[in-house]
């Protein structure tokens, strides 16, 4: 069994979920406590026997928030419980949905359920009376009641992601308000409720500007007390209006406070590429360590390479290849994580533009048509106008 000297670290370090192969080639998973992705990989590398094919599944931006949320729901966990939690989370990532969660509930509570079922059977056999049998059945159903209660909020948050992707602002605001009220009763809902508020602000930024939307979030009752945490969740708002300079400025401010965070470096490389700063984007990408990114990080790497190539009409074919690869990866991701829909839509717009420039107008039209309902709410207005202009020109 892997030794995990980092299982009981200082409480201020968040948990990082990882997946790997053990010495016998079997898949394994677990948590390490670390302040950064690089430190997490170092902690995993120190385990004995050594692990191979290590993949981090935790984003540096959300490690602490996810740890606090799970601790609030589950309380202190021993080593065995942490390993089971890691297995459950990997299973949820690979096959999300109510059936997976229900199967985990049955597996993790099988001792309780079997004992209660045995007592119910004994009560019926010995004719202990309807009140006793009813009480035992109620106790048996407690885990299912908790599952139904928790799944309600999980489903609500998934609906938030869908409403945000499709631009259903009325439903998004309603769900955000419901989550905000629920967060007053349950601390573990503070992060989802705050995320919903930021997604509402995205549409406010598109109509009123990023600064106005940010000011509204600053007085939101669920906003993080720490200014760095606030900036970590709101730095993308300038992109709602295609303000690449504002996005890059906020992101560089955040990186000054959190140097070395690979997901932020990846975002900055993409921002510089979309702003047309190809040399800086390439420099940032070359300095990045891909193994520090979550599994979907390769999609963003391909996206940046595609955007850099798209600046040179002679490299439009290379751009289409990189962007097509990124879109395939995002398409695989959205089947499990609907929050990736905006990234897929914006990347597909770039892919369609590359296809149009390489003479594949019909493919470009088909690609854009598949994401247009989402793209019109998340792609930069200027980019959309350019793409539609190129598609009309190619169709003549």
């Amino acid at each position: 069994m892997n030794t995990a000297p980092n299982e009981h670290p200082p409480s201020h370090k968040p948990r990082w979920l990882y997946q790997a192969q053990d010495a016998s080639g079997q898949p394994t998973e677990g948590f390490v406590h670390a302040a950064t992705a690089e430190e997490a990989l170092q902690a995993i590398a120190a385990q004995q026997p050594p692990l191979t094919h290590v993949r981090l599944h935790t984003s540096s931006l959300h490690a602490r928030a996810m740890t606090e949320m799970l601790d609030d729901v589950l309380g202190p966990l021993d080593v065995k419980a942490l390993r089971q939690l890691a297995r459950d989370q990997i299973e949820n990532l690979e096959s999300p949905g109510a059936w997976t969660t229900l199967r985990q509930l049955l597996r993790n509570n099988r001792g309780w359920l079997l004992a209660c079922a045995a007592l119910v059977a004994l009560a019926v056999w010995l004719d202990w009376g309807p009140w006793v049998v009813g009480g035992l059945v109620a106790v048996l159903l407690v885990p299912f009641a908790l599952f139904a209660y928790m799944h309600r909020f999980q489903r609500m948050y998934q609906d938030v992601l869908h409403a945000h992707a499709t631009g259903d602002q009325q439903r998004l605001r309603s769900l955000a308000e419901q989550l905000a009220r629920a967060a007053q009763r349950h601390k573990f809902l503070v992060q989802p409720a705050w995320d919903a508020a930021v997604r509402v602000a995205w549409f406010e930024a598109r109509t009123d500007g990023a600064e106005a939307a940010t000011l509204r979030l600053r007085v939101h009752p669920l906003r993080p007390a720490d200014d760095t945490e606030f900036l970590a969740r709101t730095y993308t708002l300038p992109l709602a209006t295609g303000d690449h300079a504002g996005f890059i400025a906020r992101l560089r401010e955040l990186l000054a406070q959190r140097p070395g965070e690979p997901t932020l470096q990846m975002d900055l490389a993409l921002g510089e590429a979309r702003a047309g700063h190809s040399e800086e984007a390439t420099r940032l990408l070359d300095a990045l360590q891909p193994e520090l990114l979550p599994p979907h990080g390769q999609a963003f790497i391909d996206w940046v390479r595609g955007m850099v190539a798209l600046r040179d009409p002679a490299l439009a074919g290379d751009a289409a290849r990189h962007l097509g690869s990124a879109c395939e990866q995002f398409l695989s991701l959205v089947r499990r994580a609907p929050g990736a829909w905006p990234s897929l839509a914006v990347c597909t717009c770039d892919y369609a533009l590359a296809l149009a420039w390489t003479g594949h107008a019909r493919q470009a039209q088909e690609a854009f048509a598949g994401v247009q309902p989402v793209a019109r709410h998340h792609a930069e207005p200027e980019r959309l106008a350019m793409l539609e202009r190129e598609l009309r020109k190619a169709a003549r």
Side-chain angles (χ1 to χ4, degrees):
M1 179 178 291
N2 296 322
T3 59
N6 209 19
E7 288 285 6
H8 296 289
S11 59
H12 65 279
K13 290 188 176 182
R15 287 191 298 267
W16 295 69
L17 175 66
Y18 69 86
Q19 190 176 25
Q21 288 185 6
D22 61 21
S24 62
Q26 295 300 308
T28 186
E29 52 282 308
F31 290 102
V32 292
H33 287 254
T36 65
E38 188 171 7
E39 186 180 316
L41 279 185
Q42 291 171 353
I44 296 168
Q47 296 188 25
Q48 294 296 329
L51 301 175
T52 58
H53 299 90
V54 176
R55 290 191 300 170
L56 293 176
H57 283 274
T58 305
S59 165
S60 57
L61 287 177
H62 303 112
R64 189 175 302 279
M66 291 302 298
T67 301
E68 291 175 353
M69 189 165 64
L70 286 171
D71 286 349
D72 185 62
V73 175
L74 302 174
L77 298 173
D78 58 23
V79 173
K80 182 179 178 181
L82 277 173
R83 291 191 182 280
Q84 185 59 59
L85 177 62
R87 283 192 288 270
D88 289 347
Q89 288 202 355
I90 293 294
E91 189 178 18
N92 280 325
L93 289 172
E94 295 176 344
S95 181
W99 288 114
T100 296
T101 309
L102 183 59
R103 185 170 62 250
Q104 291 172 356
L105 179 144
L106 294 172
R107 182 179 63 224
N108 297 338
N109 293 276
R110 58 185 178 273
W112 170 277
L113 296 172
L114 287 173
C116 289
L119 285 173
V120 170
L122 181 64
V124 172
W125 185 42
L126 297 178
D127 194 22
W128 284 356
W131 287 104
V132 176
V133 173
L136 290 172
V137 169
V139 172
L140 173 69
L141 295 177
V142 165
F144 297 96
L146 290 174
F147 164 77
Y149 186 70
M150 297 296 291
H151 182 68
R152 173 189 169 218
F153 295 118
Q154 184 182 31
R155 183 68 261 170
M156 191 181 298
Y157 182 65
Q158 293 299 309
D159 289 343
V160 163
L161 298 179
H162 184 267
H164 174 248
T166 58
D168 189 346
Q169 296 186 51
Q170 183 176 356
R171 178 152 178 74
L172 177 59
R173 289 180 184 279
S174 174
L175 290 166
E177 290 170 1
Q178 292 178 55
L179 278 172
R181 289 194 295 270
Q184 295 175 358
R185 304 189 304 272
H186 303 295
K187 185 180 176 182
F188 67 87
L189 289 175
V190 169
Q191 288 297 332
W194 168 242
D195 181 72
V198 175
R199 292 176 186 277
V200 170
W202 173 268
F203 294 102
E204 294 176 346
R206 283 181 83 84
T207 56
D208 303 330
E211 290 302 325
T214 303
L215 286 174
R216 292 191 187 101
L217 286 174
R218 286 196 178 280
V219 297
H220 195 282
L222 295 178
R223 67 153 301 209
D226 183 75
D227 284 340
T228 303
E229 291 294 331
F230 179 85
L231 182 58
R233 190 59 189 87
T234 60
Y235 71 90
T236 60
L237 289 180
L239 289 180
T241 58
D243 179 9
H244 295 292
F247 168 74
I248 291 170
R250 290 192 184 195
L251 186 46
R252 287 194 177 279
E253 180 185 350
L254 181 58
L255 269 167
Q257 300 170 46
R258 291 184 172 180
E261 288 207 2
T263 48
L264 294 180
Q265 292 174 333
M266 184 74 259
D267 270 3
L268 182 58
L270 182 58
E272 296 284 9
R274 297 193 69 78
H277 307 151
S278 299
E279 291 185 3
E280 178 63 10
T282 301
R283 185 191 68 79
L284 288 165
L285 202 60
D286 290 343
L288 192 67
Q289 295 177 264
E291 64 272 16
L292 299 180
L293 296 170
H296 59 272
Q298 183 59 47
F300 286 92
I301 292 174
D302 285 331
W303 194 356
V304 173
R305 296 199 185 284
M307 292 302 300
V308 169
L310 199 59
R311 299 293 298 179
D312 184 350
L315 298 177
D318 289 340
R321 178 169 54 83
H322 285 299
L323 292 168
S325 175
C327 288
E328 286 181 10
Q329 295 170 74
F330 283 131
L331 186 60
S332 174
L333 183 61
V334 297
R335 296 189 181 107
R336 295 173 280 119
W341 261 109
S343 294
L344 171 62
V346 177
C347 186
T348 301
C349 288
D350 298 328
Y351 177 47
L353 191 59
L355 288 173
W357 285 353
T358 54
H360 297 87
R362 185 177 61 82
Q363 289 177 255
Q365 287 278 9
E366 291 174 353
F368 179 54
V371 299
Q372 188 175 16
V374 178
R376 62 194 181 94
H377 299 294
H378 297 278
E380 305 100 308
E382 290 184 5
R383 197 67 163 185
L384 278 176
M386 179 191 297
L387 175 58
E388 291 170 348
R389 188 166 56 249
E390 291 296 326
L391 292 177
R392 285 195 301 269
K393 186 191 305 181
R396 291 172 185 167

